[in-house]
Amino acid sequence: GFAWPRSTTFCLEDINSMRKAVGIAVCVGLVWSLLPQDVGARASRVRQLPNGAKFGCANCHTSASGGGALNAFGNAVPLNGSGASASVNWNATFAAADSDGDGFSNGTELGDPDGDGNPMVGAQVTNPGDATSFPQVINNAPTLATIGAQVVLEGEVLSFALSGSDQDNDTLTLSATGLPDGSAFENGTFTWTPGFDLGGTSVMVTFTVSDGTDDASEVVEIAITDVNRPAAFDSIDPPRNRLVAMEGTVVTFTVDAQDPDGDTVSYVWLVNGTADVESSGTLVLTVPLGSQNETVVVTAMSADGTSVMQTWTIAKMLVGDFDGSGDVGFSDFLAFVAQFGKTSSDSDFDATFDLDGDGAVGFTDFLTFVEFFGLTS
């Protein structure tokens, strides 16, 4: 028979190989024709979302690898056009929506809350299609304005208001612990009047401002300064500083003075400007002879250097008893009022009512009358 040259045999093998390659190519072409022709186009939409590359296909699909069912965000993405060539219409309205219902807008999760297509640098990016993925809010602690150490006198009112601020604009609550007895903290204002037994001591009060998550506090020292209170009379007898007593009458004067701080109290008596030997709180005096008034003065002196004084005037004649009843009462007052304002030039002027002898019944006479009002001879 006829024999093919060897080179011809090689050509036939090459032809067979080519036929196989063409067959494979035809099969691949058929498979490709059956696949969705928009795979590349839809993957490009990820790049059309602000920070879309962070979660890739998982932004829109329930499967992180893409394809298959769309999540709530993927179903809601607005498109320009349709089909494989459609592009994402990212806008402010869609950015403001919360597709996955996690309480954060789509724009906030993708770092572009206003939807202008310009993501914020350093924004915390989360998946807008996954309700379990959302920004973790970082709370900024509030700030309490510095109060500083406080100093207050015993018996003096100390009051100051607290002030807090918060850059998150959270609602703030002000509180105080360690409040001293008798103090008040209301509507952010501290008020206290320390007692007179606290001089030389101090109290520590903690003031706090809270935003419900974090707080800021300051421990404030309040120092109480001692106040030296003067001695004061607890009782005085006779209670009035004007009395009527005849010559030789025995009159007893008694006072009781105390120093509020507990210091020792001593007494000094003066009769008509002359010191008496009596040093207690009681002086027994026999009214001296003569028509002039007698003056008795007692000074109660505390060991702390403070003092208090009481003065009595002893008259030896009852003044203002115009009706001669033996006392100065209301009827005498009515008679005095009838003469008040009259002078010696008036025809009905009565010199009996001119107690200071200046030719007129005026205010100085009234003051003298008042001193004797209610006294008896």
Side-chain angles (χ1 to χ4, degrees), residues 249-272:
T249 302
V250 176
V251 181
T252 301
F253 301 90
T254 301
V255 293
D256 180 46
Q258 300 293 329
D259 185 288
D261 299 320
D263 296 315
T264 303
V265 176
S266 59
Y267 302 92
V268 174
W269 293 88
L270 295 176
V271 177
N272 296 324

Side-chain angles (χ1 to χ4, degrees), residues 210-236:
S210 173
D211 63 3
T213 301
D214 295 300
D215 54 48
S217 299
E218 180 181 350
V219 179
V220 176
E221 179 179 11
I222 303 175
I224 303 94
T225 302
D226 183 66
V227 173
N228 185 33
R229 292 175 291 170
F233 288 118
D234 285 342
S235 62
I236 299 174

Side-chain angles (χ1 to χ4, degrees), residues 165-180:
S165 59
D166 185 86
Q167 64 184 78
D168 301 326
N169 293 319
D170 295 327
T171 299
L172 299 180
T173 302
L174 296 168
S175 60
T177 56
L179 291 171

Side-chain angles (χ1 to χ4, degrees), residues 147-204:
I147 303 167
Q150 303 290 313
V151 179
V152 61
L153 296 173
E154 290 177 322
E156 180 183 79
V157 177
L158 173 65
S159 180
F160 55 84
L162 272 65
S163 176
S165 59
D166 185 86
Q167 64 184 78
D168 301 326
N169 293 319
D170 295 327
T171 299
L172 299 180
T173 302
L174 296 168
S175 60
T177 56
L179 291 171
D181 291 341
S183 66
F185 185 71
E186 298 176 350
N187 300 319
T189 298
F190 171 79
T191 305
W192 185 40
T193 303
F196 286 95
D197 57 341
L198 297 177
T201 66
S202 62
V203 296
M204 309 297 286

